[in-house]
Amino acid sequence: MNARTKKHRTSPPPLTGKVARVKTAAKVGFDPRDGLIRYIEHPERITDGSVVEYDDKFVVIKDKFPKASVHLLLLPRDPALYTQHSLIALSTDPTFLSNVRTRIAHLKTLVASELRRQYGANSASDAPYQTALEDLMSRPNPPPPSARTALLPPGRDWEAEIIAGVHTHPSMNHLHIHILSREMHSPWVKHKKHYLSFHTSFMVHMDEFPLEEGSKRFKPGDWPSWDMECWRCGANYKNKFKKLCEHLSEEFEQWKKE
Amino acid sequence: MNARTKKHRTSPPPLTGKVARVKTAAKVGFDPRDGLIRYIEHPERITDGSVVEYDDKFVVIKDKFPKASVHLLLLPRDPALYTQHSLIALSTDPTFLSNVRTRIAHLKTLVASELRRQYGANSASDAPYQTALEDLMSRPNPPPPSARTALLPPGRDWEAEIIAGVHTHPSMNHLHIHILSREMHSPWVKHKKHYLSFHTSFMVHMDEFPLEEGSKRFKPGDWPSWDMECWRCGANYKNKFKKLCEHLSEEFEQWKKE
DNA sequence: TATTCCGATAGTGAC
DNA sequence: GTCACTATCGGAATGAG
């Protein structure tokens, strides 16, 4: 500091660091990262429609801040599981991995039918299915839903649009597996990390498990600094999140029409 | 990029860089950093009150975005001077340095009287002057302004509140010397660099010239990353500009009362 | 990597 | 370091019964 500019040097810094904050006893210890526990412990108490299904082993919920047209979370209810790190549990517990795979297979059909509901009418490759379904339902005695699939052409492969897996470093404290459509068209995709966390190796997909011990996937390094690349065309948007979003909107329009 | 997520790889990046912008011929080539030239070339045409004084060698203007209660710029009119880098010209041209010092001495009295006009009434150390002046002016035959100084006590040393000098890397292209009060209380102090540029060694004061050849002052390095320290009490605000501003407001209140 | 708010940092374009 | 605008990056606090 320049002596010339110093006339008074009184009591040192007023920058005392954190301002002392009065907290009520109730507030101490609150952690928003524990937010999933209420779904795990008492799914029956959730009445806002966010619980899709549950049994003694798992709860399935809609993500509160969906990053795509459909975005579910699969939550194991056993504390011995949900306190573990996802990558460890899915790489070292074959029974758990097997159970999760079974559930994911089931959830994919659920998500696929939801995608068909949302976008089937405007999808070129789903037209055969849509036409055949319309045909089927206009008969005098339409078959029940369970019998329809066998009677219809496959149409668009909606399951190919779904990704399922876990984040290398989850922010929410309870083990959760993401199941979502890959288009990332959502108002909740608000920044770079939202996108990167689903479309880079930071996302470990279900078919990559079990990871081998010491796999590099456990240590992604400085992933928030990675470039953003369009999941559909591969274009590199570097760190230009707004530009990526505009592009994703365009890709979304094309994607729906496929 | 993950192959799983890539269905289509079409034409590369839509990130085409700069958008082509239509410019009128008149606009092409204008550089806002050349904004001082109009004061230098035609001070007589400036009718907004921003020209304080001028002659054949210099123009004195009020800074358009004053960073303190008073903020003037001294501009040499000779192209052989105003095209030079301030540090070089003031370190290698003794005649110029001498002329500038003379002008600065004069301007300091001007700025000091302006500070007295703004803050004299509330200044403790200026009270003897203010009282004596009131006394003098209430006589039957008050003396003219030119005669008053000799008849009055000195009061506050307002010139000690003034800094004069140049920035190591000026943004405006024409050589200019800053003369301003050091309190930095102004709505135009909007970011870190505004503050640092006047209260670190990035500012070379008039009494530091001539710099010796090869002086480190020519290369301040990464000065925008330097900590901000209160010019008055020395408190270190690191990179907390907003906090510094709040503090400077408090210091300003004390400073006025001195 | 939960969100949200705020603020610091960085790039650009401007006459 | 000219300003002004936008966007990116970075830390801190955080709800609900």
Side-chain angles (χ1 to χ4, degrees):
Chain A
M1 186 179 192
N2 199 315
R4 160 186 301 99
T5 61
K6 237 185 307 173
K7 189 164 183 179
H8 296 264
R9 186 179 278 285
T10 59
S11 59
L15 254 194
T16 48
K18 301 179 183 180
V19 173
R21 182 177 292 273
V22 177
K23 291 187 176 182
T24 65
K27 285 188 177 180
V28 171
F30 167 78
D31 188 345
R33 295 177 179 183
D34 288 333
L36 295 176
I37 192 65
R38 68 191 192 98
Y39 299 96
I40 293 168
E41 293 189 335
H42 296 290
E44 74 284 0
R45 294 185 188 168
I46 310 291
T47 58
D48 63 0
S50 59
V51 173
V52 175
E53 57 184 40
Y54 65 94
D55 59 20
D56 59 331
K57 284 202 174 61
F58 292 94
V59 180
V60 178
I61 65 172
K62 297 179 186 172
D63 193 294
K64 197 171 178 179
F65 305 96
K67 305 303 188 291
S69 303
V70 197
H71 187 172
L72 305 180
L73 300 180
L74 175 65
L75 312 170
R77 302 188 70 179
D78 181 353
L81 290 170
Y82 70 59
T83 54
Q84 288 186 59
H85 189 297
S86 336
L87 296 192
I88 305 288
L90 290 167
S91 295
T92 62
D93 184 338
T95 305
F96 177 53
L97 176 57
S98 173
N99 287 339
V100 169
R101 285 209 212 280
T102 302
R103 299 296 179 129
I104 292 293
H106 156 67
L107 290 173
K108 280 197 172 185
T109 69
L110 196 66
V111 173
S113 66
E114 173 61 14
L115 287 176
R116 171 165 271 147
R117 188 190 68 77
Q118 290 187 35
Y119 304 119
N122 301 308
S123 165
S125 57
D126 212 33
Y129 175 93
Q130 299 290 336
T131 311
L133 178 62
E134 214 175 312
D135 223 51
L136 200 65
M137 299 310 287
S138 59
R139 290 182 189 176
N141 290 76
S146 57
R148 288 175 202 164
T149 309
L151 301 167
L152 293 166
R156 181 167 176 175
D157 180 8
W158 295 103
E159 292 202 11
E161 309 296 345
I162 300 167
I163 56 183
V166 300
H167 287 154
T168 304
H169 296 304
S171 274
M172 296 303 272
N173 289 333
H174 300 84
L175 197 158
H176 54 284
I177 298 122
H178 295 270
I179 307 95
L180 67 161
S181 50
R182 62 179 178 172
E183 97 289 347
M184 299 296 282
H185 187 266
S186 158
W188 297 108
V189 178
K190 293 185 176 179
H191 57 243
K192 192 179 186 182
K193 285 191 285 191
H194 288 150
Y195 185 77
L196 290 176
S197 71
F198 290 104
H199 285 290
T200 64
S201 62
F202 183 84
M203 174 89 174
V204 184
H205 296 256
M206 282 312 300
D207 59 12
E208 297 182 88
F209 287 105
L211 298 180
E212 57 188 38
E213 217 180 312
S215 165
K216 288 177 180 174
R217 301 301 293 280
F218 288 98
K219 297 189 176 294
D222 186 28
W223 67 274
S225 76
W226 294 351
D227 287 355
M228 289 171 284
E229 295 183 335
C230 173
W231 64 271
R232 197 158 178 269
C233 76
N236 187 334
Y237 282 80
K238 308 276 182 170
N239 66 341
K240 306 304 176 190
F241 178 74
K242 281 286 203 295
K243 299 279 189 193
L244 171 72
C245 284
E246 294 165 16
H247 175 72
L248 286 179
S249 289
E250 294 168 15
E251 289 284 18
F252 178 57
E253 293 307 312
Q254 298 304 314
W255 174 78
K256 285 190 293 187
K257 293 179 199 161
E258 270 185 27
Chain B
M1 186 176 193
N2 200 316
R4 159 187 302 100
T5 61
K6 237 183 308 174
K7 190 162 185 180
H8 297 263
R9 186 180 278 282
T10 58
S11 58
L15 256 194
T16 50
K18 302 178 183 182
V19 173
R21 183 177 291 274
V22 177
K23 292 187 177 184
T24 66
K27 287 183 178 180
V28 169
F30 171 80
D31 187 343
R33 295 179 180 187
D34 288 333
L36 296 176
I37 191 64
R38 66 191 194 98
Y39 299 96
I40 294 168
E41 293 189 336
H42 297 290
E44 73 283 0
R45 293 185 189 168
I46 311 292
T47 58
D48 63 357
S50 61
V51 173
V52 175
E53 58 184 40
Y54 65 94
D55 59 20
D56 57 331
K57 285 201 174 62
F58 292 94
V59 180
V60 178
I61 65 171
K62 295 179 188 172
D63 192 294
K64 197 172 178 178
F65 305 96
K67 303 303 188 292
S69 301
V70 197
H71 188 174
L72 305 180
L73 300 180
L74 175 65
L75 312 170
R77 302 188 70 180
D78 180 353
L81 289 170
Y82 70 58
T83 54
Q84 288 185 57
H85 189 297
S86 337
L87 296 192
I88 305 287
L90 290 167
S91 295
T92 62
D93 184 338
T95 305
F96 177 53
L97 176 58
S98 174
N99 287 339
V100 169
R101 287 223 160 103
T102 303
R103 299 295 179 133
I104 292 293
H106 157 66
L107 290 172
K108 279 198 173 183
T109 67
L110 195 67
V111 173
S113 65
E114 173 60 14
L115 288 175
R116 171 165 274 147
R117 188 190 69 75
Q118 290 187 34
Y119 304 118
N122 300 308
S123 164
S125 57
D126 212 33
Y129 175 92
Q130 299 291 334
T131 310
L133 178 63
E134 213 174 314
D135 223 50
L136 200 65
M137 300 308 288
S138 59
R139 289 183 191 177
N141 291 75
S146 57
R148 287 175 202 163
T149 309
L151 300 166
L152 293 167
R156 181 165 175 178
D157 181 7
W158 295 104
E159 291 202 13
E161 308 296 346
I162 300 167
I163 55 183
V166 300
H167 287 153
T168 304
H169 296 304
S171 276
M172 296 303 270
N173 290 333
H174 300 83
L175 197 158
H176 54 283
I177 298 122
H178 295 270
I179 307 97
L180 68 161
S181 52
R182 63 179 176 171
E183 96 290 345
M184 299 296 283
H185 187 265
S186 158
W188 297 108
V189 178
K190 293 184 175 179
H191 58 243
K192 193 179 186 182
K193 285 192 282 191
H194 287 150
Y195 185 77
L196 290 177
S197 70
F198 290 104
H199 283 290
T200 65
S201 62
F202 183 84
M203 173 89 172
V204 184
H205 296 255
M206 282 313 300
D207 59 12
E208 298 182 88
F209 288 105
L211 299 180
E212 57 187 38
E213 217 179 312
S215 164
K216 288 178 180 173
R217 301 300 293 280
F218 289 98
K219 297 189 176 295
D222 186 27
W223 67 274
S225 75
W226 294 350
D227 288 355
M228 289 171 283
E229 295 182 336
C230 174
W231 63 272
R232 196 159 179 268
C233 76
N236 187 333
Y237 282 80
K238 308 276 182 166
N239 67 341
K240 306 305 175 188
F241 178 74
K242 281 285 202 292
K243 299 278 189 194
L244 171 72
C245 285
E246 294 165 17
H247 174 71
L248 287 179
S249 290
E250 295 168 12
E251 289 284 18
F252 177 57
E253 294 306 313
Q254 298 304 315
W255 175 78
K256 285 190 294 187
K257 292 180 199 160
E258 270 186 28

